Amino acid sequence: MKKEDTVKLISAEGFEFVIDKEAAMVSQTIRNMLTSPGSFAETEHGEVTFPEISTTILEKICQYFYWSLQYARFCFLLLIFWIGISV
């Protein structure tokens, strides 16, 4: 996998999640950060830092992105993403 095909999401504690760019693009906010015209750091480096999101929450967000990619085409079914009680 090429570096251009991945995105690095960085939590408040500095933990780095390297995920597929396609998965990150599930989030409209991240999509806007990565595709904005101009010379923004997120666009140039493919990294997005979330200073207010803990590692535990960001991990769950990344899991959701992959879940959404896998099941988005089944929108006619009631599919539930399980977050869990420990979050």
Coordinates of all heavy atoms in Angstrom, one line a residue:
M1 N 0.8 -1.2 0.0 CA 0.0 0.0 0.0 C 0.9 1.2 0.0 O 1.8 1.4 0.8 CB -0.9 0.0 1.2 CG -1.9 1.1 1.3 SD -3.0 1.0 2.6 CE -4.0 -0.4 2.1
K2 N 0.6 2.2 -0.9 CA 1.4 3.4 -1.0 C 1.0 4.4 0.1 O -0.2 4.4 0.6 CB 1.1 4.0 -2.4 CG 1.6 3.2 -3.5 CD 1.4 4.0 -4.8 CE 0.7 3.2 -5.8 NZ 0.3 3.8 -7.0
K3 N 1.9 5.3 0.4 CA 1.6 6.3 1.4 C 0.4 7.2 1.0 O -0.3 7.7 1.9 CB 2.9 7.2 1.6 CG 2.8 8.1 2.8 CD 4.1 8.9 3.0 CE 4.1 9.7 4.2 NZ 3.2 10.7 4.4
E4 N 0.3 7.4 -0.3 CA -0.8 8.3 -0.8 C -2.2 7.6 -0.5 O -3.2 8.3 -0.6 CB -0.7 8.6 -2.3 CG 0.6 9.2 -2.7 CD 1.7 8.2 -2.9 OE1 1.5 7.2 -3.6 OE2 2.8 8.5 -2.5
D5 N -2.2 6.3 -0.3 CA -3.5 5.6 -0.1 C -3.8 5.5 1.4 O -4.8 4.9 1.7 CB -3.3 4.2 -0.7 CG -3.1 4.2 -2.2 OD1 -3.5 5.2 -2.9 OD2 -2.5 3.2 -2.7
T6 N -3.0 6.1 2.2 CA -3.3 6.0 3.7 C -3.4 7.4 4.3 O -2.9 8.4 3.7 CB -2.2 5.2 4.4 OG1 -1.0 5.9 4.3 CG2 -2.1 3.8 3.9
V7 N -4.0 7.5 5.4 CA -4.1 8.7 6.2 C -3.7 8.4 7.6 O -4.0 7.3 8.1 CB -5.6 9.2 6.2 CG1 -5.8 10.4 7.1 CG2 -6.0 9.5 4.7
K8 N -3.0 9.3 8.2 CA -2.6 9.2 9.6 C -3.5 10.1 10.5 O -3.6 11.3 10.3 CB -1.2 9.6 9.8 CG -0.6 9.2 11.2 CD 0.8 9.7 11.4 CE 1.8 9.0 10.5 NZ 3.2 9.5 10.7
L9 N -4.2 9.4 11.4 CA -5.1 10.1 12.4 C -4.4 10.1 13.7 O -4.0 9.0 14.2 CB -6.5 9.5 12.5 CG -7.2 9.4 11.1 CD1 -8.6 8.8 11.4 CD2 -7.4 10.7 10.4
I10 N -4.2 11.2 14.4 CA -3.4 11.3 15.6 C -4.3 11.8 16.7 O -5.0 12.8 16.7 CB -2.2 12.3 15.4 CG1 -1.4 11.9 14.2 CG2 -1.4 12.4 16.7 CD1 -0.4 12.9 13.7
S11 N -4.3 11.0 17.8 CA -5.1 11.3 19.0 C -4.5 12.3 19.9 O -3.4 12.7 19.7 CB -5.3 10.0 19.8 OG -4.1 9.6 20.4
A12 N -5.2 12.7 20.9 CA -4.8 13.7 21.8 C -3.5 13.3 22.5 O -2.6 14.1 22.9 CB -5.9 14.0 22.9
E13 N -3.4 12.0 22.8 CA -2.2 11.5 23.5 C -1.0 11.2 22.5 O 0.0 10.8 22.9 CB -2.5 10.1 24.2 CG -3.5 10.3 25.3 CD -5.0 10.2 24.8 OE1 -5.2 9.9 23.6 OE2 -5.9 10.4 25.6
G14 N -1.2 11.5 21.2 CA -0.2 11.3 20.2 C -0.1 9.9 19.6 O 0.8 9.6 18.8
F15 N -1.1 9.1 19.9 CA -1.1 7.7 19.2 C -1.6 7.9 17.8 O -2.5 8.7 17.5 CB -2.1 6.8 20.0 CG -2.0 5.4 19.6 CD1 -1.1 4.6 20.2 CD2 -2.7 4.9 18.5 CE1 -0.9 3.2 19.8 CE2 -2.6 3.5 18.1 CZ -1.7 2.7 18.8
E16 N -0.9 7.2 16.9 CA -1.1 7.4 15.4 C -1.9 6.2 14.9 O -1.4 5.0 15.0 CB 0.2 7.6 14.7 CG 0.9 8.8 15.2 CD 2.3 9.0 14.5 OE1 2.8 8.1 13.8 OE2 2.9 10.1 14.7
F17 N -3.0 6.4 14.2 CA -3.7 5.4 13.5 C -3.5 5.6 12.0 O -3.9 6.7 11.5 CB -5.2 5.5 13.8 CG -5.5 5.2 15.2 CD1 -5.6 6.2 16.2 CD2 -5.8 3.9 15.6 CE1 -5.9 5.9 17.5 CE2 -6.1 3.6 16.9 CZ -6.2 4.6 17.9
V18 N -2.9 4.7 11.3 CA -2.7 4.7 9.9 C -3.8 3.9 9.2 O -3.8 2.7 9.4 CB -1.3 4.3 9.4 CG1 -1.2 4.3 7.9 CG2 -0.2 5.1 10.1
I19 N -4.7 4.5 8.5 CA -5.9 3.8 7.9 C -5.9 4.1 6.4 O -5.3 5.1 6.0 CB -7.2 4.2 8.7 CG1 -7.5 5.7 8.4 CG2 -7.1 3.9 10.1 CD1 -8.9 6.0 8.9
D20 N -6.7 3.3 5.7 CA -6.9 3.6 4.3 C -7.6 4.9 4.1 O -8.5 5.3 4.9 CB -7.9 2.5 3.7 CG -7.2 1.1 3.7 OD1 -6.0 1.0 3.6 OD2 -8.0 0.1 3.9
K21 N -7.2 5.6 3.1 CA -7.8 6.9 2.8 C -9.2 6.8 2.5 O -10.0 7.6 2.9 CB -7.0 7.6 1.6 CG -7.4 9.0 1.4 CD -6.4 9.7 0.4 CE -6.6 11.2 0.4 NZ -5.6 11.8 -0.5
E22 N -9.6 5.7 1.8 CA -11.0 5.5 1.5 C -11.9 5.4 2.8 O -13.0 5.9 2.9 CB -11.2 4.2 0.7 CG -12.6 3.9 0.3 CD -12.7 2.6 -0.5 OE1 -11.7 1.8 -0.5 OE2 -13.8 2.3 -1.0
A23 N -11.3 4.7 3.8 CA -12.0 4.6 5.1 C -12.2 6.0 5.8 O -13.2 6.3 6.3 CB -11.3 3.6 6.0
A24 N -11.1 6.7 5.8 CA -11.1 8.1 6.4 C -12.1 9.0 5.7 O -12.7 9.8 6.4 CB -9.7 8.7 6.4
M25 N -12.3 8.8 4.4 CA -13.2 9.7 3.7 C -14.7 9.4 4.0 O -15.6 10.1 3.5 CB -13.0 9.5 2.2 CG -11.6 9.9 1.7 SD -11.4 11.7 1.9 CE -10.0 12.0 0.9
V26 N -15.0 8.4 4.8 CA -16.3 8.2 5.3 C -16.8 9.4 6.1 O -17.9 9.8 6.0 CB -16.4 6.9 6.2 CG1 -17.7 6.9 7.0 CG2 -16.2 5.7 5.4
S27 N -15.8 10.1 6.8 CA -16.1 11.3 7.5 C -16.0 12.5 6.6 O -15.0 12.8 5.9 CB -15.1 11.5 8.6 OG -15.1 12.8 9.1
Q28 N -17.1 13.2 6.4 CA -17.1 14.4 5.6 C -16.1 15.5 6.1 O -15.5 16.2 5.3 CB -18.5 15.0 5.5 CG -18.7 16.1 4.5 CD -18.4 15.7 3.0 OE1 -18.9 14.6 2.6 NE2 -17.6 16.4 2.3
T29 N -16.0 15.6 7.4 CA -15.1 16.5 8.0 C -13.6 16.2 7.6 O -12.9 17.1 7.2 CB -15.2 16.5 9.5 OG1 -16.5 16.9 9.9 CG2 -14.2 17.5 10.2
I30 N -13.2 14.9 7.7 CA -11.9 14.5 7.3 C -11.7 14.7 5.8 O -10.7 15.1 5.4 CB -11.6 13.1 7.8 CG1 -11.6 13.1 9.3 CG2 -10.3 12.6 7.2 CD1 -11.4 11.7 9.9
R31 N -12.7 14.3 5.1 CA -12.7 14.5 3.6 C -12.4 15.9 3.3 O -11.5 16.2 2.4 CB -14.0 14.1 3.0 CG -14.0 14.3 1.5 CD -15.4 14.0 0.9 NE -16.0 12.7 1.3 CZ -16.0 11.6 0.6 NH1 -15.4 11.7 -0.6 NH2 -16.5 10.5 1.0
N32 N -13.1 16.9 3.9 CA -12.8 18.3 3.7 C -11.4 18.7 4.0 O -10.8 19.5 3.3 CB -13.9 19.2 4.4 CG -15.3 19.0 3.8 OD1 -15.4 18.6 2.7 ND2 -16.2 19.4 4.6
M33 N -10.9 18.2 5.2 CA -9.6 18.5 5.6 C -8.5 18.1 4.6 O -7.5 18.7 4.4 CB -9.3 17.9 7.0 CG -10.0 18.5 8.1 SD -9.7 17.6 9.6 CE -10.1 18.7 10.8
L34 N -8.7 16.9 4.0 CA -7.7 16.3 3.2 C -7.8 16.7 1.7 O -6.9 16.6 0.9 CB -7.8 14.7 3.2 CG -7.5 14.1 4.6 CD1 -7.8 12.6 4.5 CD2 -6.1 14.4 5.0
T35 N -8.9 17.3 1.3 CA -9.1 17.7 -0.1 C -9.3 19.2 -0.3 O -9.5 19.6 -1.4 CB -10.3 17.0 -0.7 OG1 -11.5 17.3 0.1 CG2 -10.2 15.4 -0.7
S36 N -9.1 19.9 0.8 CA -9.2 21.4 0.6 C -8.1 22.0 -0.3 O -7.0 21.5 -0.2 CB -9.1 22.1 2.0 OG -10.1 21.7 2.8
P37 N -8.5 22.9 -1.1 CA -7.4 23.6 -1.9 C -6.5 24.4 -1.0 O -6.9 24.9 0.0 CB -8.2 24.4 -2.9 CG -9.6 24.7 -2.2 CD -9.8 23.5 -1.3
G38 N -5.3 24.6 -1.4 CA -4.4 25.4 -0.7 C -3.3 24.5 -0.1 O -3.3 23.3 -0.3
S39 N -2.5 25.1 0.8 CA -1.4 24.4 1.3 C -1.6 24.1 2.8 O -0.8 24.5 3.6 CB -0.1 25.1 1.1 OG -0.2 26.4 1.7
F40 N -2.7 23.4 3.1 CA -2.9 23.1 4.5 C -2.1 21.8 4.9 O -1.8 21.0 4.0 CB -4.4 22.7 4.7 CG -5.3 23.9 4.6 CD1 -6.0 24.1 3.4 CD2 -5.3 24.9 5.5 CE1 -6.9 25.2 3.3 CE2 -6.1 26.1 5.4 CZ -6.9 26.2 4.2
A41 N -1.6 21.8 6.1 CA -0.8 20.7 6.6 C -1.5 19.3 6.4 O -0.8 18.3 5.9 CB -0.4 20.8 8.0
E42 N -2.8 19.2 6.6 CA -3.5 18.0 6.5 C -3.5 17.5 5.0 O -3.3 16.3 4.8 CB -5.0 18.1 6.9 CG -5.2 18.4 8.4 CD -5.1 19.8 8.8 OE1 -4.9 20.7 8.0 OE2 -5.2 20.1 10.0
T43 N -3.6 18.4 4.1 CA -3.6 18.1 2.7 C -2.3 17.7 2.2 O -2.1 16.7 1.5 CB -4.1 19.3 1.9 OG1 -5.4 19.7 2.4 CG2 -4.2 18.9 0.4
E44 N -1.2 18.4 2.7 CA 0.1 18.1 2.2 C 0.7 16.8 2.8 O 1.4 16.0 2.1 CB 1.0 19.2 2.6 CG 0.8 20.5 1.7 CD 1.8 21.6 2.1 OE1 2.7 21.4 2.9 OE2 1.6 22.7 1.5
H45 N 0.4 16.5 4.1 CA 1.1 15.4 4.8 C 0.1 14.2 4.9 O 0.6 13.1 5.3 CB 1.6 15.9 6.1 CG 2.5 17.0 6.1 ND1 3.8 16.9 5.5 CD2 2.4 18.3 6.5 CE1 4.4 18.1 5.5 NE2 3.6 18.9 6.1
G46 N -1.1 14.4 4.7 CA -2.1 13.2 4.9 C -2.2 12.9 6.3 O -2.4 11.7 6.7
E47 N -2.1 13.9 7.2 CA -2.2 13.6 8.7 C -3.3 14.6 9.2 O -3.3 15.7 8.8 CB -0.9 13.9 9.4 CG 0.2 13.1 9.1 CD 1.5 13.4 9.9 OE1 1.4 14.3 10.7 OE2 2.5 12.8 9.6
V48 N -4.0 14.1 10.2 CA -5.0 14.9 10.8 C -4.9 14.7 12.3 O -4.9 13.5 12.8 CB -6.5 14.6 10.4 CG1 -7.5 15.5 11.1 CG2 -6.6 14.7 8.9
T49 N -4.6 15.7 13.1 CA -4.5 15.7 14.5 C -5.8 16.1 15.2 O -6.4 17.1 14.8 CB -3.3 16.6 15.0 OG1 -2.1 16.2 14.3 CG2 -3.1 16.4 16.5
F50 N -6.2 15.3 16.2 CA -7.4 15.6 16.9 C -7.0 15.8 18.4 O -7.0 14.9 19.2 CB -8.4 14.4 16.8 CG -8.8 14.2 15.4 CD1 -8.3 13.2 14.6 CD2 -9.9 14.9 14.9 CE1 -8.7 13.0 13.3 CE2 -10.3 14.7 13.6 CZ -9.7 13.7 12.8
P51 N -6.7 17.0 18.8 CA -6.2 17.3 20.1 C -7.2 17.1 21.2 O -6.8 17.1 22.4 CB -5.7 18.8 20.0 CG -6.5 19.4 18.9 CD -6.7 18.2 17.9
E52 N -8.4 16.9 20.9 CA -9.4 16.7 21.9 C -10.1 15.4 21.9 O -11.1 15.1 22.6 CB -10.5 17.8 21.8 CG -9.9 19.2 22.1 CD -11.0 20.3 22.0 OE1 -12.2 20.0 22.0 OE2 -10.6 21.5 22.1
I53 N -9.6 14.5 21.1 CA -10.1 13.1 21.0 C -9.1 12.1 21.5 O -8.0 12.0 21.0 CB -10.5 12.8 19.5 CG1 -11.6 13.7 19.0 CG2 -11.0 11.3 19.4 CD1 -12.1 13.5 17.6
S54 N -9.5 11.4 22.5 CA -8.7 10.4 23.2 C -8.4 9.2 22.2 O -9.1 9.0 21.3 CB -9.3 9.9 24.5 OG -10.4 9.0 24.1
T55 N -7.3 8.5 22.6 CA -6.9 7.3 21.8 C -8.0 6.3 21.7 O -8.3 5.7 20.6 CB -5.6 6.7 22.4 OG1 -4.6 7.7 22.3 CG2 -5.2 5.5 21.6
T56 N -8.7 6.0 22.8 CA -9.8 5.0 22.9 C -10.9 5.4 21.9 O -11.4 4.6 21.2 CB -10.3 4.9 24.3 OG1 -9.2 4.6 25.2 CG2 -11.4 3.8 24.4
I57 N -11.3 6.7 21.9 CA -12.4 7.1 21.1 C -12.0 7.1 19.6 O -12.8 6.7 18.8 CB -12.9 8.5 21.5 CG1 -13.4 8.5 23.0 CG2 -13.9 9.1 20.6 CD1 -14.6 7.6 23.2
L58 N -10.8 7.6 19.3 CA -10.3 7.6 17.9 C -10.2 6.2 17.4 O -10.5 6.0 16.2 CB -9.0 8.4 17.8 CG -8.5 8.7 16.4 CD1 -9.6 9.5 15.6 CD2 -7.2 9.5 16.4
E59 N -9.8 5.3 18.2 CA -9.8 3.9 17.7 C -11.2 3.4 17.3 O -11.3 2.8 16.3 CB -9.2 3.0 18.8 CG -9.2 1.5 18.4 CD -8.6 0.6 19.6 OE1 -8.7 1.0 20.7 OE2 -8.2 -0.5 19.2
K60 N -12.1 3.7 18.1 CA -13.5 3.3 17.8 C -14.0 4.0 16.6 O -14.7 3.4 15.8 CB -14.4 3.6 19.0 CG -15.8 3.0 19.0 CD -15.7 1.5 18.9 CE -15.4 0.7 20.1 NZ -15.6 -0.7 20.0
I61 N -13.6 5.3 16.4 CA -14.0 6.0 15.2 C -13.4 5.3 13.9 O -14.1 5.1 12.9 CB -13.5 7.5 15.3 CG1 -14.4 8.2 16.3 CG2 -13.6 8.2 13.9 CD1 -13.8 9.6 16.7
C62 N -12.2 4.9 14.0 CA -11.5 4.2 12.9 C -12.2 2.9 12.6 O -12.4 2.5 11.4 CB -10.0 3.9 13.2 SG -9.0 5.4 13.2
Q63 N -12.6 2.2 13.7 CA -13.4 0.9 13.5 C -14.7 1.2 12.8 O -15.1 0.5 11.9 CB -13.6 0.2 14.8 CG -12.4 -0.3 15.5 CD -12.6 -0.8 16.9 OE1 -13.8 -0.7 17.4 NE2 -11.6 -1.3 17.5
Y64 N -15.3 2.3 13.2 CA -16.6 2.7 12.5 C -16.4 2.9 11.0 O -17.2 2.6 10.2 CB -17.2 3.9 13.2 CG -18.4 4.4 12.4 CD1 -19.6 3.7 12.4 CD2 -18.3 5.5 11.6 CE1 -20.7 4.1 11.6 CE2 -19.4 5.9 10.8 CZ -20.5 5.2 10.8 OH -21.6 5.6 10.0
F65 N -15.3 3.6 10.7 CA -15.1 3.9 9.3 C -15.0 2.6 8.4 O -15.7 2.6 7.4 CB -13.8 4.7 9.1 CG -13.8 6.1 9.6 CD1 -12.6 6.7 9.9 CD2 -14.9 6.8 9.9 CE1 -12.5 8.0 10.4 CE2 -14.9 8.1 10.3 CZ -13.7 8.7 10.6
Y66 N -14.3 1.6 8.9 CA -14.2 0.4 8.2 C -15.6 -0.4 8.2 O -15.9 -1.0 7.2 CB -13.1 -0.5 8.8 CG -11.7 -0.1 8.3 CD1 -10.9 0.6 9.2 CD2 -11.3 -0.3 7.0 CE1 -9.6 1.1 8.8 CE2 -10.0 0.1 6.6 CZ -9.2 0.8 7.5 OH -8.0 1.2 7.1
W67 N -16.3 -0.3 9.3 CA -17.6 -0.9 9.4 C -18.5 -0.3 8.4 O -19.2 -1.0 7.6 CB -18.2 -0.8 10.8 CG -19.5 -1.3 11.0 CD1 -19.8 -2.6 11.3 CD2 -20.8 -0.7 10.8 NE1 -21.2 -2.8 11.4 CE2 -21.8 -1.6 11.1 CE3 -21.1 0.6 10.4 CZ2 -23.1 -1.3 11.0 CZ3 -22.4 1.0 10.4 CH2 -23.4 0.0 10.6
S68 N -18.5 1.0 8.3 CA -19.3 1.8 7.4 C -19.0 1.4 5.9 O -19.9 1.2 5.1 CB -19.2 3.3 7.6 OG -20.0 4.0 6.7
L69 N -17.7 1.3 5.6 CA -17.4 0.9 4.2 C -17.9 -0.5 3.9 O -18.4 -0.7 2.7 CB -15.8 0.9 4.1 CG -15.1 2.2 3.8 CD1 -13.6 1.9 3.7 CD2 -15.6 2.9 2.6
Q70 N -17.9 -1.4 4.8 CA -18.3 -2.7 4.6 C -19.8 -2.9 4.5 O -20.3 -3.6 3.6 CB -17.8 -3.7 5.7 CG -18.1 -5.1 5.5 CD -17.5 -6.0 6.5 OE1 -16.9 -5.6 7.5 NE2 -17.8 -7.3 6.4
Y71 N -20.6 -2.1 5.3 CA -22.0 -2.3 5.3 C -22.8 -1.1 4.7 O -24.1 -1.2 4.8 CB -22.4 -2.5 6.8 CG -21.9 -3.8 7.3 CD1 -20.9 -3.8 8.3 CD2 -22.3 -5.0 6.8 CE1 -20.4 -5.0 8.8 CE2 -21.8 -6.2 7.3 CZ -20.8 -6.2 8.3 OH -20.3 -7.4 8.8
A72 N -22.2 -0.1 4.2 CA -23.0 1.0 3.7 C -23.9 0.6 2.6 O -25.0 1.2 2.4 CB -22.0 2.1 3.2
R73 N -23.6 -0.3 1.8 CA -24.4 -0.8 0.7 C -25.7 -1.5 1.1 O -26.6 -1.7 0.4 CB -23.6 -1.6 -0.3 CG -23.2 -2.9 0.2 CD -22.4 -3.7 -0.9 NE -21.9 -4.9 -0.4 CZ -20.8 -5.2 0.2 NH1 -19.9 -4.2 0.3 NH2 -20.4 -6.4 0.6
F74 N -25.7 -1.9 2.4 CA -26.8 -2.6 3.0 C -27.7 -1.6 3.7 O -28.3 -2.0 4.8 CB -26.4 -3.7 3.9 CG -25.6 -4.8 3.2 CD1 -24.2 -4.9 3.5 CD2 -26.1 -5.6 2.2 CE1 -23.5 -5.9 2.9 CE2 -25.4 -6.5 1.6 CZ -24.0 -6.7 1.9
C75 N -27.9 -0.4 3.2 CA -28.7 0.6 4.0 C -30.1 0.2 4.2 O -30.8 0.8 5.1 CB -28.6 1.9 3.3 SG -29.2 2.0 1.6
F76 N -30.6 -0.7 3.4 CA -32.0 -1.1 3.6 C -32.2 -2.1 4.8 O -33.3 -2.3 5.2 CB -32.5 -1.8 2.3 CG -31.7 -3.0 1.9 CD1 -32.1 -4.3 2.4 CD2 -30.6 -2.9 1.1 CE1 -31.3 -5.4 2.0 CE2 -29.9 -4.0 0.7 CZ -30.2 -5.2 1.2
L77 N -31.1 -2.5 5.3 CA -31.1 -3.4 6.5 C -30.8 -2.5 7.8 O -30.1 -1.5 7.7 CB -30.1 -4.5 6.5 CG -30.2 -5.5 5.3 CD1 -29.0 -6.4 5.3 CD2 -31.5 -6.3 5.4
L78 N -31.4 -3.0 8.9 CA -31.1 -2.3 10.1 C -29.8 -2.8 10.7 O -29.8 -3.9 11.4 CB -32.2 -2.4 11.1 CG -32.0 -1.7 12.5 CD1 -31.8 -0.2 12.3 CD2 -33.2 -1.9 13.4
L79 N -28.7 -2.2 10.4 CA -27.4 -2.7 10.9 C -26.9 -1.7 12.0 O -27.0 -0.5 11.8 CB -26.4 -2.7 9.8 CG -26.7 -3.7 8.7 CD1 -25.7 -3.6 7.6 CD2 -26.6 -5.1 9.2
I80 N -26.4 -2.2 13.1 CA -26.0 -1.4 14.2 C -24.6 -1.6 14.5 O -24.1 -2.7 14.6 CB -26.9 -1.7 15.5 CG1 -28.3 -1.5 15.2 CG2 -26.4 -0.9 16.6 CD1 -29.3 -2.0 16.3
F81 N -23.9 -0.4 14.6 CA -22.5 -0.5 15.0 C -22.4 -0.5 16.5 O -22.9 0.4 17.1 CB -21.7 0.7 14.4 CG -20.3 0.8 14.8 CD1 -19.4 -0.1 14.2 CD2 -19.9 1.7 15.7 CE1 -18.0 0.0 14.6 CE2 -18.5 1.8 16.1 CZ -17.6 0.9 15.5
W82 N -21.8 -1.5 17.1 CA -21.8 -1.7 18.5 C -20.6 -0.9 19.0 O -19.4 -1.2 18.7 CB -21.7 -3.1 18.9 CG -21.6 -3.4 20.4 CD1 -20.5 -3.8 21.0 CD2 -22.6 -3.1 21.3 NE1 -20.7 -3.8 22.4 CE2 -22.0 -3.4 22.6 CE3 -23.9 -2.7 21.3 CZ2 -22.7 -3.3 23.8 CZ3 -24.6 -2.6 22.4 CH2 -24.0 -2.9 23.7
I83 N -20.8 0.1 19.9 CA -19.8 0.9 20.5 C -19.2 0.2 21.7 O -18.0 0.2 21.9 CB -20.3 2.3 20.8 CG1 -20.6 3.0 19.5 CG2 -19.2 3.0 21.6 CD1 -21.2 4.4 19.7
G84 N -20.0 -0.4 22.5 CA -19.6 -1.0 23.7 C -19.6 -0.1 24.9 O -19.7 1.1 24.8
I85 N -19.7 -0.7 26.1 CA -19.9 0.1 27.3 C -18.6 0.6 27.9 O -18.6 1.6 28.6 CB -20.6 -0.8 28.3 CG1 -21.6 0.0 29.1 CG2 -19.7 -1.5 29.3 CD1 -22.7 -0.7 29.7
S86 N -17.4 0.1 27.5 CA -16.2 0.6 28.0 C -15.7 1.9 27.5 O -14.8 2.5 28.0 CB -15.1 -0.5 27.8 OG -14.9 -0.6 26.4
V87 N -16.3 2.4 26.4 CA -15.9 3.7 25.8 C -16.4 4.8 26.6 O -16.9 5.3 27.2 CB -16.4 3.8 24.4 CG1 -16.0 5.1 23.8 CG2 -15.8 2.7 23.6

